Amino acid sequence: MQIVILNDAAAVAAYGANIFAAQLQKKPTSVLGLATGSTPVALYQELIAKNKAGEISFSHATSFNLDEYLGLTGEHSQSYRYFMNEQLFSHVDINKENTFVPAGDAENPITACKEYEAKIVAAGGVDVQLLGIGRNGHIGFNEPSSGLRSRTRVKTLTKATIDDNARFFGADEYQPHLSITMGIGTILEAKKVVLLATGENKADAVHAMIEGPLMAACPASALQLHQDAVIVIDKAAASKLADLEFYQHIEAENQKLQAHLATL
Ligand code: F6R
């Protein structure tokens, strides 16, 4: 794991956006894995600005989102398809036909999950997967106890996740308690993963992910197995890390190495 600790949420978003921008510049046909929630919004704003400035183009890119509520159509204002259109797709030059979000309104959700996996494979696999982390350590909607090799499937949300996301739903609005999510095994197959976390309320989950044991009780700990996982966090989210100074030291050494390599 590469652990990057930055001052604040704005710096986290900018750092994450630069990884995605560099990916698109290197490979315009990139397959991007995307996430919803509060954390990636600022990153998407950075990508929109870069797209408008002509620094990056999504015109040849494909995207796959991590998850979707089961029971909501893409037109529902709380669906993740709607979120992605609002927060990114409608503001950049991506072809919406190349943007994929699990089908929350699928007649047969089991088949839809299999089809989603097949589409990712047909696209050549995810080049860079963006992730957030739940307070309980979930990634995607892989809640604690999720199989560490799980594939895209229907998952029941925990009460903690339902409560955390209740802020997005009106008092009398139906809030789904089921989802379709890429599995942990699916996520681990992305060539690179970039997890962003900000704020003190993520500090316990970040500590468990980085310093805890590899265990289904903390799904994000599965990233310990990934060859190229970049964890980008602000100081508040890093505040419960026991080896904070060591991670900062490693990253400073890494920056020096990158600067040297750039001169070759
Ligand atoms: C969203 C997703 C979730 C969120 C997580 C953190 O597609 O898969 O795992 O990344 O719940 O959400 P925020 O960023 O709202 O704290």
Side-chain angles (χ1 to χ4, degrees):
M1 279 175 162
Q2 181 190 354
I3 302 162
V4 181
I5 301 164
L6 302 169
N7 279 338
D8 53 28
V12 167
Y15 192 102
N18 285 341
I19 295 176
F20 278 81
Q23 175 67 35
L24 283 168
Q25 284 159 350
K26 187 178 71 183
K27 183 182 173 193
T29 57
S30 288
V31 179
L32 307 177
L34 301 176
T36 61
S38 313
T39 314
V41 170
L43 179 149
Y44 292 149
Q45 282 167 4
E46 297 264 348
L47 291 181
I48 291 166
K50 287 178 192 297
N51 184 236
K52 292 205 188 306
E55 289 171 35
I56 54 169
S57 172
F58 292 83
S59 57
H60 299 293
T62 301
S63 71
F64 287 91
N65 261 79
L66 283 169
D67 44 15
E68 178 60 285
Y69 285 117
L70 195 55
L72 300 188
T73 69
E75 284 78 45
H76 191 287
S77 64
Q78 296 310 327
S79 73
Y80 285 173
R81 158 58 72 185
Y82 189 94
F83 175 101
M84 289 308 301
N85 288 344
E86 290 284 298
Q87 299 295 335
L88 182 66
F89 299 151
S90 298
H91 309 287
V92 295
D93 61 349
I94 201 161
N95 177 352
K96 279 199 188 147
E97 287 183 9
N98 295 333
T99 67
F100 299 95
V101 179
D105 56 354
E107 198 179 334
N108 183 336
I110 308 300
T111 313
C113 292
K114 291 209 172 79
E115 287 169 359
Y116 202 66
E117 288 272 338
K119 275 187 203 150
I120 295 172
V121 171
V126 172
D127 288 304
V128 191
Q129 175 68 56
L130 180 62
L131 297 171
I133 184 170
R135 283 188 306 124
N136 61 5
H138 73 214
I139 48 175
F141 273 139
N142 295 285
E143 300 283 32
S145 84
S146 290
L148 296 179
R149 300 181 68 183
S150 50
R151 311 302 308 184
T152 301
R153 67 214 184 290
V154 174
K155 281 296 286 180
T156 307
L157 307 184
T158 62
K159 184 169 180 324
T161 298
I162 292 170
D163 290 349
D164 278 351
N165 290 349
R167 66 190 193 276
F168 299 115
F169 290 84
D172 49 2
E173 207 171 10
Y174 167 69
Q175 186 183 353
H177 53 272
L178 294 175
S179 67
I180 292 181
T181 181
M182 281 188 199
I184 297 174
T186 319
I187 292 168
L188 289 178
E189 278 171 16
K191 295 172 189 87
K192 184 183 191 83
V193 299
V194 179
L195 184 144
L196 308 187
T198 59
E200 215 180 327
N201 67 339
K202 298 292 174 69
D204 284 320
V206 165
H207 164 66
M209 164 178 66
I210 295 173
E211 296 181 327
L214 171 66
M215 59 176 181
C218 177
S221 68
L223 300 184
Q224 294 172 14
L225 291 171
H226 199 278
Q227 289 184 64
D228 190 2
V230 188
I231 312 298
V232 191
I233 53 182
D234 67 359
K235 284 189 170 153
S239 60
K240 295 200 174 159
L241 291 173
D243 263 334
L244 180 73
E245 282 168 20
F246 178 53
Y247 309 136
Q248 287 171 322
H249 173 65
I250 300 171
E251 189 50 22
E253 291 298 317
N254 181 39
Q255 296 298 328
K256 280 188 219 161
L257 177 62
Q258 296 307 323
H260 167 68
L261 293 176
T263 66
L264 299 181

